[in-house]
Amino acid sequence: MTVFVCAGCGATLTAPLSQVALPLHAHQRYGNGVQLPVLMEPGTFAVELEPWGPPWRRWGDADPSQLAARGIHAPVDRLSDGAPGAIVIAPRDTRGTLLIPEKSSGSCCGLDGADGPNMACEACGLPVASRIDDCSLWQAVWLTPNAVRRHPVVADADTATGPQSWAELMAEGSAAPPHVPITSWGGRQLGLYHWWSWNPQWEAAAGRALAHLLAASEGRPVSVPHGLTEEVFQRTLDALLSTGAPMLRAVLAGPELPAPDADADILLVPDHPETGELWVPAGGTSAHLVPLPFEVWLWLAFPEPHLPAAPSPEALPGEVLRDDPPAPRPCRLFRIDAGVFRHTLVRLPAARAPWLREILENVPKYVSTGLF
C-alpha cells in the first residue's frame, strides 16, 4: 500500500492506495458533452510512464532522435513535454487539497487540466495535481510526479496480498458489458438526456487491439470468431486489409478456454488488470498475441446471457412462452476508438511500413465515414 505526500511539506495527499495497471481508456475523449464516470476504482492508483499533459508541441518541432528514444515510429498530432510518471487516482481518494480557481479556464462543463495543475496542497499551497471532470473525459485526479512523493504503508497481515492469479481473476473478476447507458448534456433547452451506447471502454480496447491486429497481419486479411468479436472487428479489418492474400485466423485464447488450435495465426488474449502482463499459453506459442483488457476479453470469451428482471423463471410454469424484451442495443454499428488506435499504432515498429502509414494518414476519412 502507498500514500502520496506533498513534496514541499510532507502533508498527506491521498488515502492508502494499491497499484494497478493504467486503464487503457485513461486519456480517452468520448463523444460530445458526454458525462463519463470515474476512471479509477477507489483505493487504487496507476502510473502513466510516458510524458503526458502540458506543455505540448507540434510533431514538426520535435527532434527525430528524441522521438526514436520515446518509441514513436510515425507522425502524431502533438507531443507532450510534461513529466513522465503522472499518478492517477479516484477523486474521492484525495486528502488535504484545494482547487486553484484561476487554473480552471478553457473547459466546457468542468475541469480539463489544460492550464496545468489545478489542485494545491492545503498545508503549503504547492500545486500538486490536476482534477479532470469535464464532459467527454473520464473523471480522475492526476498527481504531478515531481510534486508528490510515495510513502509506503505497512498493510495488515490479513489484508496484504500480491497480484491475483488468473484463476482468482476468473473466479472473482467481473466483465465489462458491451452496451451501457450514456448520459449527455444537451444544453439549456434539453438538459441531461440518456441513451444506450456501445461501451466506451470497448471502443478503446478495440482501438489498441486493431493496431496489433494490423501489425500482425502484415497486410494480409484477418478473420476473427463469429458473434460479438466479429461485430467489433471484422468490418474494419475487411475495409483496411487486402483480400488477395491467404487469410490469417485470429481466435480468442486465455484462462479456462480450450487450448488454441495449432494453426491459429493470432491469439486475442487478456492482459492482467493489476500487472498489465499478457496471458500466455502454457508452453508458449508462435502465434501473435493481441491484448484485450481482461474485463472486455471475459465478456467476449464467456458472454453473459440476457436475464429477464421479472417475473422470475420459478414463478411461471415451464410450458409458458416467455416474451421478455430483448436487452437494449445501440442504434449504430460499432466504431473503434480512433485516438487509442493511433496512439497504439505509432508506438509499434510496424508503423514504419508504408501501407500502415497510409492508414494512419487516412484516419480522419475513416472517422467521417463511420469506420472509426
Side-chain angles (χ1 to χ4, degrees):
M1 302 290 288
T2 298
V3 165
F4 291 90
V5 301
C6 175
C9 67
T12 298
L13 300 177
T14 72
L17 306 170
S18 58
Q19 186 168 1
V20 297
L22 182 71
L24 176 60
H25 51 286
H27 303 298
Q28 183 184 32
R29 288 184 174 268
Y30 189 80
N32 182 24
V34 173
Q35 309 297 304
L36 291 175
V38 174
L39 174 69
M40 301 297 294
E41 292 292 329
T44 67
F45 76 94
V47 179
E48 171 57 89
L49 298 179
E50 292 193 25
W52 191 263
W56 301 91
R57 57 177 160 154
R58 292 177 295 183
W59 168 263
D61 299 332
D63 182 350
S65 62
Q66 185 183 51
L67 298 175
R70 289 174 60 168
I72 300 176
H73 306 285
V76 295
D77 293 334
R78 59 178 186 167
L79 289 166
S80 170
D81 278 338
I87 302 106
V88 62
I89 66 174
R92 64 178 288 182
D93 285 329
T94 58
R95 303 287 188 270
T97 57
L98 296 171
L99 287 173
I100 307 173
E102 57 270 25
K103 289 288 190 175
S104 60
S105 63
S107 53
C108 176
C109 302
L111 303 172
D112 64 3
D115 289 340
N118 56 28
M119 299 178 70
C121 171
E122 186 176 12
C124 70
L126 179 71
V128 293
S130 294
R131 170 68 191 262
I132 308 295
D133 57 16
D134 199 8
C135 58
S136 300
L137 300 175
W138 290 87
Q139 298 180 44
V141 168
W142 289 85
L143 301 175
T144 306
N146 56 9
V148 299
R149 296 197 309 268
R150 296 191 187 199
H151 182 72
V153 176
V154 179
D156 295 335
D158 294 337
T159 60
T161 59
Q164 290 181 294
S165 67
W166 287 108
E168 290 171 330
L169 280 174
M170 293 301 295
E172 303 173 14
S174 59
H179 313 134
V180 294
I182 290 289
T183 301
S184 185
W185 179 254
R188 186 170 298 178
Q189 298 299 321
L190 294 176
L192 294 177
Y193 63 98
H194 314 270
W195 76 95
W196 277 87
S197 169
W198 288 98
N199 191 331
Q201 295 183 44
W202 277 60
E203 297 188 11
R208 180 181 65 169
L210 177 66
H212 285 275
L213 282 167
L214 294 181
S217 75
E218 298 181 345
R220 293 168 58 184
V222 174
S223 68
V224 298
H226 294 302
L228 189 54
T229 309
E230 182 180 37
E231 190 174 0
V232 168
F233 292 109
Q234 199 64 63
R235 181 172 69 103
T236 307
L237 287 171
D238 291 345
L240 298 181
L241 295 173
S242 65
T243 57
M247 182 168 288
L248 300 176
R249 192 165 68 93
V251 301
L252 288 164
E256 298 188 10
L257 283 179
D261 297 337
D263 60 348
D265 304 290
I266 301 170
L267 304 183
L268 298 163
V269 300
D271 57 20
H272 198 287
E274 296 172 5
T275 66
E277 295 182 359
L278 284 184
W279 179 90
V280 179
T285 180
S286 60
H288 294 275
L289 300 182
V290 170
L292 286 170
F294 175 78
E295 299 85 354
V296 174
W297 173 89
L298 185 60
W299 192 289
L300 287 173
F302 303 95
E304 298 182 13
H306 166 59
L307 299 176
S312 66
E314 292 79 13
L316 290 175
E319 66 273 10
V320 173
L321 181 65
R322 300 297 297 262
D323 60 353
D324 300 294
R329 283 187 56 87
C331 60
R332 62 169 174 84
L333 297 175
F334 185 86
R335 294 177 187 172
I336 291 171
D337 189 292
V340 177
F341 168 73
R342 294 182 65 179
H343 179 85
T344 304
L345 186 54
V346 300
R347 286 161 174 77
L348 299 179
R352 302 191 190 104
W355 70 277
L356 282 175
R357 286 288 185 99
E358 184 178 357
I359 287 176
L360 284 168
E361 293 170 0
N362 287 324
V363 165
K365 180 185 73 174
Y366 299 140
V367 171
S368 66
T369 59
L371 195 61
F372 285 88

